[in-house]
Amino acid sequence: MSNFTQINPNAAGIDIGSGEHWVCVPPDRTPQNVRKFGCFTPDLIEMASWLLECRVDTIAMESTGVYWIPAFQILEERGIEVKLVNAHHVKTVPGRKSDVLDCQWLQQLHTYGLLSGSFRPDDQICVLRSYIRHRDNLIKSSSVHILRMQKALIQMNLQLHKVISDITGVTGMAIIRAIVAGERNPQVLASFKNSRIKSSTADIAKALTGDYRVEQIFVLKQELQLYDIYQAQIASCDVELDRYLASFAGQENNPPPDPPKRGNRKPRGHEPNFNLRNHLYRISGVDFTQIPGFDALTVQTLLSEVGLDATRFPTVKHFCSWLGLCPGSRITGGKVKSSHTRQVVNRAANAFRLAAQSLSRSQSALGAFYRRLRARLGAPGANTAAAHKLARIFYHLWSTKTAYADAGADYYEQKYRQRIVSKLEKTAESFGFELVAKTPQLD
């Protein structure tokens, strides 16, 4: 690489490990330009001091897992630019794999500007992201105990899930708590039915007639207690999340508009017990929940993953490429081999895909767009295409701070009809014909 121009002459490379970190600096800075450091905090502080002594101002590091986070934060606090690179992009020559060679290879590539760092939002957003990811883990853990409660009920032939849609709702939890407390009379248990339950009291009593085995009641009791513990932890996490969101600097904007009408959509069971929508509108300056398919939890996930600064992505194409939602470009010998999207692990992309799935019954322009694509491409292709479109809309609102205006499903269908008619007219004209509208016949 001697003929290449050095873009980062003060670059260093670090190969992160679970127990030790190997660091390489330019050879002209110190006689021993490759050193090994431990993983304890004093070792990381010593590593940062040595890098500053060697006049290093930018670092590329390679790591797996979460071992890179402490080193990243300490180096960033010292004013050093740190780039976390994808290990797949910096493979060394086959047969010469070692930690020493890895850090030297990283330092050499970074010196010539051949590495790009992974996206990481600012520290305030990273803290918010940690809270939200922890809350998501608590919800997933609690769902395990819901499944185990349902399994215990089924083994006693208590088909509660056949007569109510959610066993963790008001009716379901009242019945389960009564069973754990010792109630066995199906009629008494069915009397806990909420007025919104469609099943009759007789059907519920019939479903609750079963074999109340002692061991399954014990399992049900313990799983209920564990479920309650997780619900208490989620509520505690919501209090901390509410406090932290209140610490964000707000945008100078008007009060948020009225929430969009979603029909008779039932509130999601894991929605926080504070006004999350107002918090998100205040800190972002945009009411993203006006976009069909988006609710406050979806917006919370997106903002915690991408942050509040849209300039981190130069264009909407960069943003969609990072999400892995744009068409791929695999071209060999002038032929397109594949245009499938890249396989990426991205929580923001998953949020866009889930929002796209909810458009199937939306009476909006995006809903009509999704249904049209689903009829032509199938559900998987329509989900990806609609998620890509939602990502582009999100980026536009995110970067311009403008409000979303939906044209409606009728407008989209009319535009689609105009495109079809225009295409038919051009086809008829190419064959020397003229397309004429049919005159309606009067009775």
Side-chain angles (χ1 to χ4, degrees), residues 89-104:
H89 300 162
V90 290
K91 292 293 183 182
T92 57
V93 179
R96 296 178 58 194
K97 179 73 173 70
S98 70
D99 294 336
V100 176
L101 291 175
D102 277 352
C103 68
Q104 291 175 322

Side-chain angles (χ1 to χ4, degrees), residues 43 49 82 105 144 163 171 187 217 403 416 428 433:
D43 299 324
S49 301
V82 187
W105 184 237
V144 173
V163 290
T171 300
Q187 300 296 332
I217 295 295
Y416 175 77
F433 296 98

Side-chain angles (χ1 to χ4, degrees), residues 193-352:
K193 167 194 165 185
N194 189 274
S195 59
R196 291 177 296 179
I197 297 296
K198 295 181 180 180
S199 299
S200 65
T201 304
D203 289 339
I204 296 177
K206 186 177 180 181
L208 292 174
T209 303
D211 181 15
Y212 291 87
R213 299 180 63 87
V214 176
E215 73 276 14
Q216 297 301 331
I217 295 295
F218 176 77
V219 172
L220 182 65
K221 178 181 179 180
Q222 289 211 325
E223 296 300 332
L224 177 61
Q225 291 173 346
L226 291 170
Y227 173 78
D228 288 339
I229 290 173
Y230 276 108
Q231 293 304 305
Q233 295 302 313
I234 293 171
S236 177
C237 186
D238 286 344
V239 173
E240 189 66 18
L241 189 59
D242 185 18
R243 181 198 62 78
Y244 188 72
L245 284 170
S247 68
F248 277 71
Q251 302 283 337
E252 295 182 0
N253 46 29
N254 297 322
D258 294 333
K261 295 182 179 180
R262 305 296 193 199
N264 295 324
R265 185 185 72 86
K266 184 179 72 172
R268 294 166 67 174
H270 50 269
E271 288 183 350
N273 54 8
F274 61 89
N275 197 329
L276 177 60
R277 177 173 171 266
N278 282 359
H279 274 306
L280 298 175
Y281 178 77
R282 181 181 59 82
I283 66 178
S284 66
V286 181
D287 184 17
F288 293 104
T289 59
Q290 297 291 331
I291 304 175
F294 282 23
D295 58 11
L297 287 174
T298 302
V299 178
Q300 174 185 252
T301 300
L302 293 175
L303 292 182
S304 67
E305 294 296 330
V306 303
L308 302 173
D309 184 12
T311 60
R312 297 290 299 275
F313 299 93
T315 65
V316 65
K317 292 183 178 180
H318 289 82
F319 181 60
C320 294
S321 176
W322 175 74
L323 292 168
L325 294 175
C326 62
S329 57
R330 298 170 183 83
I331 303 175
T332 301
K335 296 182 179 180
V336 179
K337 296 297 183 180
S338 173
S339 60
H340 291 289
T341 56
R342 295 184 297 113
Q343 295 292 331
V344 299
V345 179
N346 192 306
R347 287 180 173 85
N350 292 339
F352 280 120

Side-chain angles (χ1 to χ4, degrees), residues 27-89:
D28 59 342
R29 305 302 166 86
T30 178
Q32 184 183 2
N33 70 318
V34 177
R35 285 186 59 182
K36 180 179 71 173
F37 293 90
C39 62
F40 301 126
T41 301
D43 299 324
L44 298 181
I45 295 174
E46 181 186 357
M47 179 179 69
S49 301
W50 181 68
L51 288 168
L52 291 174
E53 290 175 4
C54 295
R55 303 188 305 280
V56 170
D57 55 23
T58 180
I59 296 173
M61 63 168 56
E62 173 195 357
S63 174
T64 56
V66 296
Y67 302 116
W68 59 273
I69 295 179
F72 188 101
Q73 293 173 343
I74 289 176
L75 293 171
E76 197 174 44
E77 289 175 358
R78 294 295 188 94
I80 302 176
E81 180 191 22
V82 187
K83 289 187 176 181
L84 177 69
V85 299
N86 192 328
H88 182 71
H89 300 162

Side-chain angles (χ1 to χ4, degrees), residues 100-116:
V100 176
L101 291 175
D102 277 352
C103 68
Q104 291 175 322
W105 184 237
L106 286 169
Q107 190 274 331
Q108 191 175 11
L109 289 177
H110 193 34
T111 298
Y112 296 108
L114 298 177
L115 297 177
S116 58

